Each structure stands twice: as structure tokens, then as C-alpha cells.
Amino acid sequence: MGLADLNLSGPSTPTVIQAPRPVLNSSPSIDKWYEKLCMSNDGILYEDNAIQMGVKSEYHGHLGRIALYVGNKMTVPLTSFTASVTGHNPDALSITFAKIPSNVIAPRTQAQHVIHVEGKKPFDSSPILMISYLAGSLTTINLQLPLLVTKFFEGVTLSQTDFFERWKLIGGAPREAQVVLPISLDEANGVDLVKNRKVLTGHGFSLLQDVDPNPINLVGAGVLHTSMGGKVGCLLRVEPNKVAKLCRVTVRSTSEEVAAQVLQALQKPLSKNSAL
């Protein structure tokens, strides 16, 4: 990935009004699993006394493959099993099951369901995975699928000069999105740089060295791959203040839509409201 890949004239995509999203299952564990999977490709998505669901995924450019593993923990079969994905704009994000999921999962066994995804254009929210099955009674589970626009990002390495040239060229609003977040300090009462680095690299950004003279500030660069909108460059700066327990996050992109979407993806994991 070179500097020429930073498309500085990426098109914006009009906002699409979508149908109301289903009510989600929620708990501290579910939130933690989801947040982890937004920054990694493998892990637990959901677990209760009856089933466990895990995800293994891979992304290459604008294409991705998600393997969803559903384990029946009970001594009776899960019948009338269904799995579907909703809550996304198909013009921006294509999601298809490789084959129709089996409607029975035998006791103490695991079923695999492969989902193919394609990032066509920028999109602003995670799709919803809807699961239902019978095991004495009907159970429905609605979960956010850990599929953000940053899954289609690839890190880019820039020098200090190249970074600031592009930073100034993109300019401020509307192609800049910024927020000031409350943060928690680490066990040593300092800025949690380990977590901050993990969040940025987990969302597809390369961390740039020797760009910001302040050692606790982080600077990143990445390129979004889409099949219809091409490549879209994105730059960011994370500037925490230990004394105030605040952090300013600034994202600039050739697409104002992408800038807003990346900021939205980073806000919770970087803040004190993180589930991690």
C-alpha cells in the first residue's frame, strides 16, 4: 500500500433511510464480546445455558468471510433453527449465507454457517444477526454482528511530512469529525496507551511514528476499500489529557461520511464507557 492509494477525491454516499432495527439482546458480557470482536476477527459472540456462538472472520480488501459457529450445549436437539441478517443497507453492504443453515442442531454438537460480505460503499451501523430455535419453547436472539466499516480498512505508512500534507489538504469540517471523550486511567494512574493502540490497530489503522512530539498522542492512517466507491483515505489523531481525564479524537477523511463513521466506531472503545 503506497501513498498513491490514498484517494483524495473519494465520493460521498447519500444517507439511506432504513427500517426500524429489531430489539437487541443486551448484557455486560454481550457488550464486551461485541466490542472485542470489532477489534479482532475471532472470539465469542454470545453464550447462555443453551448455546454458544463464536465468530472466525477474515477480510481482504472489500471482501470478507465470517464463519459463525453455533454450539448446542443441551442434551436435546435445537429444531426449527433459523439464522438471518438484517438492519443494513444492501446497496452499501452485501451479506449472503453460503448456503441455507440447517434447521436442526443435534445435542452437544456444533454447526457452522459461512457468511460472505462485500463492502460496496461506506455504511454507518453494524448489521443485526437474528437467531431463532425451538428447544421446548421458541427462543429468539438478536445480536449486533461485529461488522463495522473499519473491517474493510488497511493501514498505511506515512512520514511526518506526508501525513501533515494530507491532513491539511483534507482540511476541517465537513470532512473532519471530532469529539472529546471522558477516559479512564490505567493502573499506574496514567494514560492507557496499550488500550489506545489496540483500539486503533484493531480498527485497521497503522500507527505512525515520530509524527506527534507528544509521546502519549497517537497518529494513524488507513485506507477504506469498497467495491463501488474505490479506496478512501482516512487520517486520525488521538490526544489524551491525563489531568483532565479527557481525550480529543479527530478523524479526517476524503469522505465526510467515512470520517463520521470511523469516529462513531472509535468513541466507545476509547472512552471510559468501554465494555472492555
Side-chain angles (χ1 to χ4, degrees):
M1 182 62 62
L3 302 182
D5 292 318
L6 276 174
N7 174 12
L8 296 178
S9 59
S12 295
T13 304
T15 301
V16 176
I17 299 175
Q18 300 178 14
R21 292 162 68 85
V23 177
L24 295 171
N25 290 62
S26 182
S27 73
S29 293
I30 292 174
D31 294 345
K32 184 176 182 178
W33 292 326
Y34 170 77
E35 203 168 308
K36 280 186 174 181
L37 282 168
C38 286
M39 297 186 291
S40 64
N41 289 336
D42 306 329
I44 296 174
L45 179 63
Y46 177 85
E47 185 170 15
D48 60 22
N49 293 331
I51 68 170
Q52 182 189 70
M53 288 188 279
V55 166
K56 289 186 178 181
S57 56
E58 56 183 352
Y59 295 87
H60 303 284
H62 62 272
L63 298 175
R65 177 184 181 274
I66 302 171
L68 174 67
Y69 296 89
V70 182
N72 179 2
K73 298 167 61 177
M74 298 188 294
T75 57
V76 297
L78 304 182
T79 62
S80 301
F81 180 87
T82 66
S84 60
V85 178
T86 187
H88 62 286
N89 174 11
D91 292 334
L93 180 63
S94 171
I95 301 178
T96 56
F97 282 84
K99 61 181 181 179
I100 298 175
S102 171
N103 62 0
V104 177
I105 303 178
R108 308 289 189 183
T109 64
Q110 184 182 78
Q112 175 184 303
H113 310 288
V114 176
I115 305 169
H116 295 292
V117 298
E118 177 186 353
K120 297 180 177 180
K121 303 175 185 178
F123 57 95
D124 60 4
S125 59
S126 294
I128 296 175
L129 174 67
M130 303 176 66
I131 299 290
S132 68
Y133 62 87
L134 283 172
S137 61
L138 177 65
T139 298
T140 60
I141 302 170
N142 298 327
L143 303 167
Q144 291 187 94
L145 198 62
L147 178 52
L148 300 173
V149 70
T150 51
K151 289 293 186 182
F152 300 102
F153 264 67
E154 180 182 6
V156 177
T157 300
L158 298 174
S159 68
Q160 182 185 57
T161 300
D162 291 331
F163 176 85
F164 282 112
E165 281 181 356
R166 282 155 178 75
W167 186 262
K168 293 175 182 177
L169 182 61
I170 294 173
R175 297 196 292 184
E176 175 185 280
Q178 186 180 87
V179 69
V180 176
L181 304 168
I183 58 173
S184 299
L185 303 182
D186 62 17
E187 294 179 353
N189 205 36
V191 171
D192 196 341
L193 283 174
V194 173
K195 185 190 83 166
N196 290 352
R197 291 191 183 104
K198 184 177 180 181
V199 170
L200 299 191
T201 58
H203 282 276
F205 284 86
S206 288
L207 298 181
L208 307 183
Q209 305 302 317
D210 303 319
V211 173
D212 193 311
N214 188 332
I216 68 170
N217 292 348
L218 298 179
V219 177
V223 170
L224 168 65
H225 295 265
T226 66
S227 60
M228 296 181 65
K231 298 175 182 178
V232 181
C234 192
L235 307 173
L236 64 81
R237 303 178 72 178
V238 175
E239 302 166 285
N241 184 312
K242 182 180 76 170
V243 176
K245 295 184 180 180
L246 296 172
C247 180
R248 181 170 63 190
V249 183
T250 308
V251 181
R252 291 187 179 183
S253 172
T254 53
S255 161
E256 59 188 85
E257 185 179 16
V258 172
Q261 291 163 353
V262 170
L263 186 67
Q264 181 183 20
L266 297 176
Q267 280 191 55
K268 186 176 179 181
L270 285 173
S271 77
K272 71 174 185 180
N273 297 319
S274 170
L276 300 176

